[in-house]
PDB file of all heavy atoms in Angstrom:
ATOM      1  N   GLN A  78      28.460  -6.867 -15.858  1.00 52.00           N
ATOM      2  CA  GLN A  78      27.561  -7.526 -14.910  1.00 52.00           C
ATOM      3  C   GLN A  78      26.455  -6.558 -14.451  1.00 52.00           C
ATOM      4  O   GLN A  78      25.277  -6.898 -14.443  1.00 52.00           O
ATOM      5  CB  GLN A  78      28.358  -7.990 -13.699  1.00 52.00           C
ATOM      6  CG  GLN A  78      27.545  -8.857 -12.760  1.00 52.00           C
ATOM      7  CD  GLN A  78      28.283  -9.071 -11.440  1.00 52.00           C
ATOM      8  OE1 GLN A  78      29.389  -8.610 -11.257  1.00 52.00           O
ATOM      9  NE2 GLN A  78      27.644  -9.773 -10.539  1.00 52.00           N
ATOM     10  N   ALA A 101      -1.814  10.327   0.650  1.00 79.00           N
ATOM     11  CA  ALA A 101      -1.203  11.462   1.321  1.00 79.00           C
ATOM     12  C   ALA A 101       0.173  10.965   1.716  1.00 79.00           C
ATOM     13  O   ALA A 101       0.322  10.283   2.710  1.00 79.00           O
ATOM     14  CB  ALA A 101      -2.003  11.870   2.541  1.00 79.00           C
ATOM     15  N   ILE A 104       6.071  11.706   4.770  1.00 94.00           N
ATOM     16  CA  ILE A 104       7.397  12.262   4.512  1.00 94.00           C
ATOM     17  C   ILE A 104       8.356  11.785   5.601  1.00 94.00           C
ATOM     18  O   ILE A 104       8.142  12.047   6.786  1.00 94.00           O
ATOM     19  CB  ILE A 104       7.376  13.821   4.541  1.00 94.00           C
ATOM     20  CG1 ILE A 104       6.156  14.381   3.797  1.00 94.00           C
ATOM     21  CG2 ILE A 104       8.695  14.377   4.028  1.00 94.00           C
ATOM     22  CD1 ILE A 104       6.183  14.250   2.325  1.00 94.00           C
ATOM     23  N   THR A 108      18.477  10.164   8.433  1.00 97.00           N
ATOM     24  CA  THR A 108      19.629  10.982   8.785  1.00 97.00           C
ATOM     25  C   THR A 108      20.544  10.235   9.740  1.00 97.00           C
ATOM     26  O   THR A 108      20.287   9.084  10.101  1.00 97.00           O
ATOM     27  CB  THR A 108      19.152  12.343   9.361  1.00 97.00           C
ATOM     28  OG1 THR A 108      20.245  13.247   9.380  1.00 97.00           O
ATOM     29  CG2 THR A 108      18.608  12.204  10.772  1.00 97.00           C
ATOM     30  N   ASP A 198       8.530  32.585  -3.384  1.00 72.00           N
ATOM     31  CA  ASP A 198       9.417  31.843  -4.290  1.00 72.00           C
ATOM     32  C   ASP A 198       9.174  30.343  -4.212  1.00 72.00           C
ATOM     33  O   ASP A 198       9.401  29.611  -5.176  1.00 72.00           O
ATOM     34  CB  ASP A 198      10.890  32.111  -3.941  1.00 72.00           C
ATOM     35  CG  ASP A 198      11.301  33.515  -4.285  1.00 72.00           C
ATOM     36  OD1 ASP A 198      10.625  34.115  -5.135  1.00 72.00           O
ATOM     37  OD2 ASP A 198      12.276  34.007  -3.698  1.00 72.00           O
ATOM     38  N   SER A 211       0.945  13.481  -4.548  1.00 89.00           N
ATOM     39  CA  SER A 211      -0.401  12.901  -4.586  1.00 89.00           C
ATOM     40  C   SER A 211      -0.386  11.507  -5.219  1.00 89.00           C
ATOM     41  O   SER A 211      -1.356  10.774  -5.154  1.00 89.00           O
ATOM     42  CB  SER A 211      -1.354  13.823  -5.345  1.00 89.00           C
ATOM     43  OG  SER A 211      -0.945  13.874  -6.691  1.00 89.00           O
ATOM     44  N   GLU A 227      20.309  22.999   7.136  1.00 85.00           N
ATOM     45  CA  GLU A 227      19.445  22.311   6.159  1.00 85.00           C
ATOM     46  C   GLU A 227      18.893  21.015   6.748  1.00 85.00           C
ATOM     47  O   GLU A 227      17.703  20.728   6.640  1.00 85.00           O
ATOM     48  CB  GLU A 227      20.228  21.983   4.875  1.00 85.00           C
ATOM     49  CG  GLU A 227      20.666  23.169   4.063  1.00 85.00           C
ATOM     50  CD  GLU A 227      21.934  23.817   4.586  1.00 85.00           C
ATOM     51  OE1 GLU A 227      22.552  23.237   5.509  1.00 85.00           O
ATOM     52  OE2 GLU A 227      22.298  24.901   4.089  1.00 85.00           O
ATOM     53  N   SER A 234      10.702  19.179   9.714  1.00 92.00           N
ATOM     54  CA  SER A 234       9.513  19.402   8.887  1.00 92.00           C
ATOM     55  C   SER A 234       8.829  18.093   8.482  1.00 92.00           C
ATOM     56  O   SER A 234       7.669  18.102   8.058  1.00 92.00           O
ATOM     57  CB  SER A 234       9.899  20.164   7.609  1.00 92.00           C
ATOM     58  OG  SER A 234      10.521  21.382   7.921  1.00 92.00           O
ATOM     59  N   VAL A 241      20.037   6.604  11.365  1.00 98.00           N
ATOM     60  CA  VAL A 241      20.905   5.453  11.105  1.00 98.00           C
ATOM     61  C   VAL A 241      22.170   5.599  11.940  1.00 98.00           C
ATOM     62  O   VAL A 241      22.787   6.664  11.969  1.00 98.00           O
ATOM     63  CB  VAL A 241      21.275   5.370   9.600  1.00 98.00           C
ATOM     64  CG1 VAL A 241      22.163   4.156   9.331  1.00 98.00           C
ATOM     65  CG2 VAL A 241      20.015   5.307   8.736  1.00 98.00           C
ATOM     66  N   ASP A 251      27.033  10.366  18.448  1.00 98.00           N
ATOM     67  CA  ASP A 251      26.600  11.429  17.532  1.00 98.00           C
ATOM     68  C   ASP A 251      25.109  11.304  17.203  1.00 98.00           C
ATOM     69  O   ASP A 251      24.420  12.314  17.030  1.00 98.00           O
ATOM     70  CB  ASP A 251      27.423  11.394  16.236  1.00 98.00           C
ATOM     71  CG  ASP A 251      28.862  11.836  16.468  1.00 98.00           C
ATOM     72  OD1 ASP A 251      29.192  12.224  17.601  1.00 98.00           O
ATOM     73  OD2 ASP A 251      29.666  11.773  15.518  1.00 98.00           O
ATOM     74  N   ILE A 256      19.629  13.534  18.102  1.00 98.00           N
ATOM     75  CA  ILE A 256      18.258  13.359  18.598  1.00 98.00           C
ATOM     76  C   ILE A 256      17.969  14.370  19.711  1.00 98.00           C
ATOM     77  O   ILE A 256      16.906  14.994  19.747  1.00 98.00           O
ATOM     78  CB  ILE A 256      18.065  11.906  19.102  1.00 98.00           C
ATOM     79  CG1 ILE A 256      18.089  10.948  17.909  1.00 98.00           C
ATOM     80  CG2 ILE A 256      16.763  11.772  19.897  1.00 98.00           C
ATOM     81  CD1 ILE A 256      18.154   9.473  18.274  1.00 98.00           C
ATOM     82  N   VAL A 259      17.487  17.905  18.204  1.00 96.00           N
ATOM     83  CA  VAL A 259      16.224  18.011  17.445  1.00 96.00           C
ATOM     84  C   VAL A 259      15.046  17.990  18.415  1.00 96.00           C
ATOM     85  O   VAL A 259      14.122  18.812  18.320  1.00 96.00           O
ATOM     86  CB  VAL A 259      16.082  16.860  16.418  1.00 96.00           C
ATOM     87  CG1 VAL A 259      14.703  16.890  15.776  1.00 96.00           C
ATOM     88  CG2 VAL A 259      17.159  16.948  15.354  1.00 96.00           C
ATOM     89  N   ASP A 277      25.858  -8.794  14.520  1.00 98.00           N
ATOM     90  CA  ASP A 277      24.703  -9.692  14.701  1.00 98.00           C
ATOM     91  C   ASP A 277      23.601  -8.945  15.456  1.00 98.00           C
ATOM     92  O   ASP A 277      23.760  -7.764  15.790  1.00 98.00           O
ATOM     93  CB  ASP A 277      25.113 -10.979  15.445  1.00 98.00           C
ATOM     94  CG  ASP A 277      25.757 -10.674  16.797  1.00 98.00           C
ATOM     95  OD1 ASP A 277      25.512  -9.577  17.343  1.00 98.00           O
ATOM     96  OD2 ASP A 277      26.509 -11.533  17.296  1.00 98.00           O
ATOM     97  N   LEU A 298      11.848  10.552  26.203  1.00 97.00           N
ATOM     98  CA  LEU A 298      11.438  10.366  24.802  1.00 97.00           C
ATOM     99  C   LEU A 298      11.491   8.878  24.436  1.00 97.00           C
ATOM    100  O   LEU A 298      12.484   8.205  24.705  1.00 97.00           O
ATOM    101  CB  LEU A 298      12.417  11.157  23.907  1.00 97.00           C
ATOM    102  CG  LEU A 298      12.343  10.916  22.399  1.00 97.00           C
ATOM    103  CD1 LEU A 298      11.034  11.442  21.828  1.00 97.00           C
ATOM    104  CD2 LEU A 298      13.525  11.606  21.693  1.00 97.00           C
ATOM    105  N   ASP A 299      10.409   8.399  23.832  1.00 97.00           N
ATOM    106  CA  ASP A 299      10.377   7.003  23.374  1.00 97.00           C
ATOM    107  C   ASP A 299      10.851   6.926  21.931  1.00 97.00           C
ATOM    108  O   ASP A 299      10.303   7.602  21.064  1.00 97.00           O
ATOM    109  CB  ASP A 299       8.940   6.452  23.438  1.00 97.00           C
ATOM    110  CG  ASP A 299       8.589   6.054  24.851  1.00 97.00           C
ATOM    111  OD1 ASP A 299       9.498   5.597  25.582  1.00 97.00           O
ATOM    112  OD2 ASP A 299       7.415   6.217  25.232  1.00 97.00           O
ATOM    113  N   GLY A 304      15.006  -1.776  13.298  1.00 98.00           N
ATOM    114  CA  GLY A 304      15.686  -2.993  12.875  1.00 98.00           C
ATOM    115  C   GLY A 304      17.162  -2.745  12.623  1.00 98.00           C
ATOM    116  O   GLY A 304      17.657  -1.642  12.852  1.00 98.00           O
ATOM    117  N   PRO A 321      21.958  -1.356  -6.662  1.00 97.00           N
ATOM    118  CA  PRO A 321      21.503  -1.585  -5.277  1.00 97.00           C
ATOM    119  C   PRO A 321      21.549  -3.057  -4.854  1.00 97.00           C
ATOM    120  O   PRO A 321      21.162  -3.943  -5.620  1.00 97.00           O
ATOM    121  CB  PRO A 321      20.048  -1.100  -5.305  1.00 97.00           C
ATOM    122  CG  PRO A 321      19.924  -0.262  -6.519  1.00 97.00           C
ATOM    123  CD  PRO A 321      20.957  -0.702  -7.494  1.00 97.00           C
ATOM    124  N   ILE A 335      16.828  -5.831   5.191  1.00 98.00           N
ATOM    125  CA  ILE A 335      16.020  -4.710   4.682  1.00 98.00           C
ATOM    126  C   ILE A 335      14.573  -5.169   4.485  1.00 98.00           C
ATOM    127  O   ILE A 335      13.619  -4.448   4.796  1.00 98.00           O
ATOM    128  CB  ILE A 335      16.588  -4.178   3.339  1.00 98.00           C
ATOM    129  CG1 ILE A 335      17.989  -3.599   3.541  1.00 98.00           C
ATOM    130  CG2 ILE A 335      15.645  -3.170   2.717  1.00 98.00           C
ATOM    131  CD1 ILE A 335      18.065  -2.177   4.015  1.00 98.00           C
ATOM    132  N   ILE A 345       3.500  -1.393  11.258  1.00 87.00           N
ATOM    133  CA  ILE A 345       3.255  -0.447  12.358  1.00 87.00           C
ATOM    134  C   ILE A 345       1.975   0.327  12.051  1.00 87.00           C
ATOM    135  O   ILE A 345       1.856   0.926  10.983  1.00 87.00           O
ATOM    136  CB  ILE A 345       4.430   0.558  12.518  1.00 87.00           C
ATOM    137  CG1 ILE A 345       5.707  -0.198  12.883  1.00 87.00           C
ATOM    138  CG2 ILE A 345       4.112   1.618  13.572  1.00 87.00           C
ATOM    139  CD1 ILE A 345       6.965   0.664  12.844  1.00 87.00           C
ATOM    140  N   ALA A 347      -0.754   3.157  11.720  1.00 73.00           N
ATOM    141  CA  ALA A 347      -0.615   4.603  11.548  1.00 73.00           C
ATOM    142  C   ALA A 347      -0.925   5.296  12.871  1.00 73.00           C
ATOM    143  O   ALA A 347      -1.798   4.862  13.617  1.00 73.00           O
ATOM    144  CB  ALA A 347      -1.565   5.081  10.461  1.00 73.00           C
ATOM    145  N   GLN A 348      -0.183   6.347  13.148  1.00 66.00           N
ATOM    146  CA  GLN A 348      -0.398   7.114  14.383  1.00 66.00           C
ATOM    147  C   GLN A 348      -1.788   7.765  14.333  1.00 66.00           C
ATOM    148  O   GLN A 348      -2.211   8.219  13.282  1.00 66.00           O
ATOM    149  CB  GLN A 348       0.649   8.228  14.504  1.00 66.00           C
ATOM    150  CG  GLN A 348       2.065   7.715  14.613  1.00 66.00           C
ATOM    151  CD  GLN A 348       2.315   7.015  15.933  1.00 66.00           C
ATOM    152  OE1 GLN A 348       1.919   7.508  16.972  1.00 66.00           O
ATOM    153  NE2 GLN A 348       2.927   5.845  15.887  1.00 66.00           N
ATOM    154  N   GLU A 350      -4.457  10.648  14.537  1.00 56.00           N
ATOM    155  CA  GLU A 350      -4.316  12.056  14.148  1.00 56.00           C
ATOM    156  C   GLU A 350      -3.973  12.917  15.363  1.00 56.00           C
ATOM    157  O   GLU A 350      -4.683  12.917  16.356  1.00 56.00           O
ATOM    158  CB  GLU A 350      -5.638  12.560  13.532  1.00 56.00           C
ATOM    159  CG  GLU A 350      -5.816  12.169  12.072  1.00 56.00           C
ATOM    160  CD  GLU A 350      -4.735  12.751  11.167  1.00 56.00           C
ATOM    161  OE1 GLU A 350      -4.334  13.899  11.392  1.00 56.00           O
ATOM    162  OE2 GLU A 350      -4.289  12.040  10.244  1.00 56.00           O
ATOM    163  N   LEU A 365       8.238  26.371   6.407  1.00 81.00           N
ATOM    164  CA  LEU A 365       8.171  27.837   6.366  1.00 81.00           C
ATOM    165  C   LEU A 365       8.160  28.442   7.767  1.00 81.00           C
ATOM    166  O   LEU A 365       8.600  29.568   7.967  1.00 81.00           O
ATOM    167  CB  LEU A 365       6.929  28.280   5.585  1.00 81.00           C
ATOM    168  CG  LEU A 365       6.986  27.957   4.091  1.00 81.00           C
ATOM    169  CD1 LEU A 365       5.616  28.128   3.447  1.00 81.00           C
ATOM    170  CD2 LEU A 365       8.016  28.844   3.391  1.00 81.00           C
ATOM    171  N   ARG A 367       9.721  27.094  10.495  1.00 75.00           N
ATOM    172  CA  ARG A 367      10.999  26.910  11.203  1.00 75.00           C
ATOM    173  C   ARG A 367      12.009  27.961  10.776  1.00 75.00           C
ATOM    174  O   ARG A 367      12.146  28.243   9.581  1.00 75.00           O
ATOM    175  CB  ARG A 367      11.600  25.537  10.880  1.00 75.00           C
ATOM    176  CG  ARG A 367      10.664  24.402  11.125  1.00 75.00           C
ATOM    177  CD  ARG A 367      10.786  23.845  12.518  1.00 75.00           C
ATOM    178  NE  ARG A 367      10.055  22.606  12.601  1.00 75.00           N
ATOM    179  CZ  ARG A 367       8.992  22.415  13.387  1.00 75.00           C
ATOM    180  NH1 ARG A 367       8.543  23.377  14.149  1.00 75.00           N
ATOM    181  NH2 ARG A 367       8.393  21.248  13.412  1.00 75.00           N
TER     182      ARG A 367
END
Side-chain angles (χ1 to χ4, degrees):
Q78 188 191 358
I104 317 289
T108 195
D198 290 338
S211 66
E227 293 81 8
S234 303
V241 181
D251 290 357
I256 291 170
V259 173
D277 57 23
L298 169 68
D299 280 327
I335 296 276
I345 297 171
Q348 297 291 315
E350 279 298 322
L365 292 167
R367 307 269 191 244

